[in-house]
Structure formats: C-alpha cells, structure tokens
C-alpha cells in the first residue's frame, strides 16, 4: 500500500538549534513531493515542491532535499515563529498510464521552538 | 479575494442533522479539492473538480456526502444525516490549472470548516 510516513511526530528545539524532519514514501511513479506548513486553526500553507532525487530548495531558514525514498526538511537556527506542524505530501501515479492529481499526506511533524 | 475562503469557520450539528459547507476558491482557479482532516492527522482526499465537472469522488466516505460546483467557481460540500465520526476539519483547496494534465501546480488551501457533531 502506498504510504507517506513522517518522523518524528513531535520535535522540541531550543531557538537556534538546527535539526531535520523526515518524510519517507513508498509510492510508485512519484510526480512531486510537497512540503506544507500548518499553523493551529489554519489550512496548510505551501512551502516547496521537489520532483527528482538530488533536488534541493531553500526558503529563509528552511531547506528541503529529496532522495529516491525520502525527503528531509532542514531547519537552520530556528526561531519561535517557525513553530508549526510541517506536512509532507506526494503526488503520484494512481491509475496505470494516467497522470495523478491527488495529494497523499503524511500525519505531520509538530515542531515547537522554545525561546 | 486573495485566497481560498471557507464558511462557516465552525459548525456544530446535532447527530442526524444535514450541513452544508461552502468554499470560494481563488478566482480563475480551474481545479478544486475537498479534503477531510481529523485531529492529529494529515488531510485526506475527498473529491476533485475540474471547473464544474466532478472528476473523482472516490474519497467520499459514504453516500451521505455530496459535493457540487455548478458554475465552476463556488463549491458546496453537503453532509446528510451527520454522524459523530463526521467530526473533522473540512479543507478546500484550489489550483490554477487542471491537475489532470499538469501536476506541477501546488494546491492553495483555505482555513477549513471545523465540524463538530454532538
């Protein structure tokens, strides 16, 4: 069964303490891997799309990388305002020979950055 | 508006009551999705519209769930005879292009409707 697994479920960091979040996937025909940030009471906010192994994207203190089996979201010198749940999602071939449009999400990693 | 707008933000329904949840996508966006998000979980796909056509409703949990987008813009998700297991946040998302032909486009989400069935 196709799966997206995120780890850890929760992560507490001191301000300035860099770390990484992991997203592993077991889908066939990956069309894109997406990272979203979700604040309490809000909808997911788009961060990055990665398409192929070796690709990297950066935005402020965040850098996303992709391998054939997993993606990492690296957070460098985090600040309290980086506290949120980070969701990983994949778009992949669901029907043989056809394109895909659904996003399959992981359960997310809840990040807390303590001042 | 600048983003996807959903209403109401909160809805409390008694078990057995019908509810209707509204989504105003970003103007001009072709694709529209409904997702269901239970507490502590990631969003789960419910249904997909390309303009006014409902191309996939495979994620709707039962025949009590019905979605429409009659003019290709505003969409309504209706739940009949609500049950406690329907309690969740219902998220709407839109995308500029048809995702049947172009999978590059990210989804832009609204802030959801939190449904509580008592």
């Amino acid at each position: 069964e196709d799966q997206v697994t995120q780890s850890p479920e929760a992560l507490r960091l001191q301000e300035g303490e860099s770390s990484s979040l992991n997203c592993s996937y077991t889908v066939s025909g990956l069309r894109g891997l997406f990272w979203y940030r979700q604040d309490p009471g809000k909808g997911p906010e788009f961060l990055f799309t990665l398409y192929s192994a070796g690709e990297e994207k950066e935005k402020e203190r965040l850098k996303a990388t992709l391998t054939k089996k997993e993606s990492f979201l690296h957070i460098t010198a985090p600040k309290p305002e980086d506290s949120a749940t980070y969701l990983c999602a994949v778009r992949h071939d669901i029907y043989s020979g056809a394109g895909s449009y659904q996003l399959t999400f992981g359960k997310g990693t809840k990040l807390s950055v303590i001042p | 508006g600048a983003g996807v707008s959903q209403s109401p933000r909160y809805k409390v329904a008694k078990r057995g009551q019908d509810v209707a949840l509204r989504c105003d996508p970003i103007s001009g966006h072709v694709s529209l999705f409904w997702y269901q998000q239970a507490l502590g979980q990631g969003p789960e796909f419910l249904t997909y519209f390309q303009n006014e056509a409902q191309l996939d409703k495979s994620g709707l949990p039962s025949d009590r769930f019905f979605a429409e987008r009659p003019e290709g813009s505003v969409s309504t998700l209706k739940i009949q005879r609500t049950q406690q297991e329907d309690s969740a946040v219902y998220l709407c998302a839109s995308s500029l292009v048809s995702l049947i032909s172009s999978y590059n486009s990210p989804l832009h989400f609204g802030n959801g409707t939190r449904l509580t069935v008592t």
Side-chain angles (χ1 to χ4, degrees), chain B residues 11-49:
Chain B
K11 177 69 180 178
V12 179
K14 288 190 184 339
R15 189 166 59 92
Q17 191 176 359
D18 297 350
V19 298
L21 313 180
R22 177 186 169 106
C23 172
D24 282 86
I26 295 172
S27 179
H29 276 201
V30 168
S31 295
L32 185 145
F33 291 77
W34 284 96
Y35 278 80
Q36 181 189 59
Q37 187 173 25
L39 191 64
Q41 304 292 313
E44 291 196 359
F45 171 80
L46 293 177
T47 187
Y48 168 55
F49 288 86

Side-chain angles (χ1 to χ4, degrees), chain A residues 13-102:
Chain A
L13 298 173
Q14 289 294 127
E15 184 172 1
E17 179 188 1
S18 301
S19 189
S20 295
L21 313 182
N22 177 264
C23 171
S24 63
Y25 57 93
T26 56
V27 301
S28 57
L30 182 72
R31 297 291 186 175
L33 185 140
F34 298 76
W35 282 99
Y36 283 84
R37 168 191 172 128
Q38 187 171 29
D39 292 294
K42 305 280 189 179
E45 174 189 349
F46 172 70
L47 293 173
F48 303 109
T49 311
L50 301 165
Y51 295 107
S52 55
E55 190 175 359
E56 297 184 354
K57 291 210 175 149
E58 286 190 63
K59 179 180 179 180
E60 295 180 0
R61 294 176 293 282
L62 301 177
K63 183 168 82 171
T65 62
L66 181 65
T67 72
K68 287 187 178 180
K69 297 284 188 187
E70 58 193 347
S71 177
F72 292 93
L73 184 66
H74 307 277
I75 304 176
T76 302
K79 298 182 177 181
E81 54 261 41
D82 295 322
S83 297
T85 296
Y86 291 85
L87 294 165
C88 166
V90 298
R91 186 172 283 152
H92 59 104
D93 287 338
I94 294 177
Y95 306 110
S96 175
S100 172
Y101 43 81
Q102 292 183 24

